[in-house]
Amino acid sequence: MKNFNQIFKSSKANEIGNKLKEIIESDFDNIEWNIIGGEKVKLVLYSRNGKNNVLCGIQEGNNDSCMLYIHHMVKLKHDRLKYSEKGKHAKHIKFNNIEDIIEDDIQWLLSKVNENAPF
């Protein structure tokens, strides 16, 4: 699987995922993405300076939602961005509608990931 859009079954999740992709790719320099997990997991991970240096990821969620995974964040305090405390290496934020994505909020979040990333 080499096409970003192939990770989505839902057209609504695809729309949300592509919006997140657009923001991520405009905010980070020198990043690459890879699809991991095969047919079952279908997770896009963005990394810098090698596949193991993950910054964030995108994955289709349940019920037409899309998940944004963020690495290098221990705590997150933001009025509108609520993330799950679950996850060993990453936290995630679930988006149910494209209107839930406020670009300034995501750019702020990605700037924090960039500040905290050791690479």
Side-chain angles (χ1 to χ4, degrees):
M1 187 177 317
K2 294 185 179 193
N3 183 326
F4 181 87
N5 292 317
Q6 287 178 308
I7 72 165
F8 301 101
K9 292 179 185 172
S10 159
S11 61
K12 184 177 176 184
N14 186 343
E15 180 182 24
I16 297 167
N18 273 288
K19 180 63 177 174
L20 292 170
K21 177 181 186 284
E22 176 186 309
I23 296 168
I24 291 167
E25 291 180 357
S26 69
D27 275 30
F28 286 113
D29 292 327
N30 303 318
I31 60 166
E32 61 183 58
W33 61 269
N34 294 287
I35 300 172
I36 65 159
E39 284 297 316
K40 190 170 184 176
V41 175
K42 293 189 262 188
L43 172 63
V44 174
L45 292 179
Y46 285 88
S47 58
R48 180 170 50 209
N49 300 326
K51 290 181 183 182
N52 293 329
N53 299 329
V54 177
L55 299 166
C56 58
I58 299 172
Q59 183 178 37
E60 184 170 16
N62 295 329
N63 302 321
D64 298 328
S65 67
C66 191
M67 310 297 285
L68 172 63
Y69 290 86
I70 53 170
H71 290 240
H72 311 289
M73 294 292 290
V74 176
K75 292 288 179 191
L76 173 66
K77 292 193 180 213
H78 192 281
D79 292 339
R80 290 179 298 275
L81 294 172
K82 306 296 182 216
Y83 75 105
S84 170
E85 292 283 346
K86 298 175 186 174
K88 184 177 178 181
H89 301 290
K91 309 299 182 210
H92 68 267
I93 301 170
K94 182 177 183 179
F95 295 95
N96 293 306
N97 296 293
I98 196 158
E99 294 83 17
D100 296 340
I101 299 172
I102 299 172
E103 193 165 338
D104 287 343
D105 292 351
I106 304 302
Q107 289 172 331
W108 173 85
L109 176 64
L110 295 177
S111 73
K112 298 300 179 192
V113 170
N114 199 34
E115 285 174 21
N116 293 331
F119 38 83

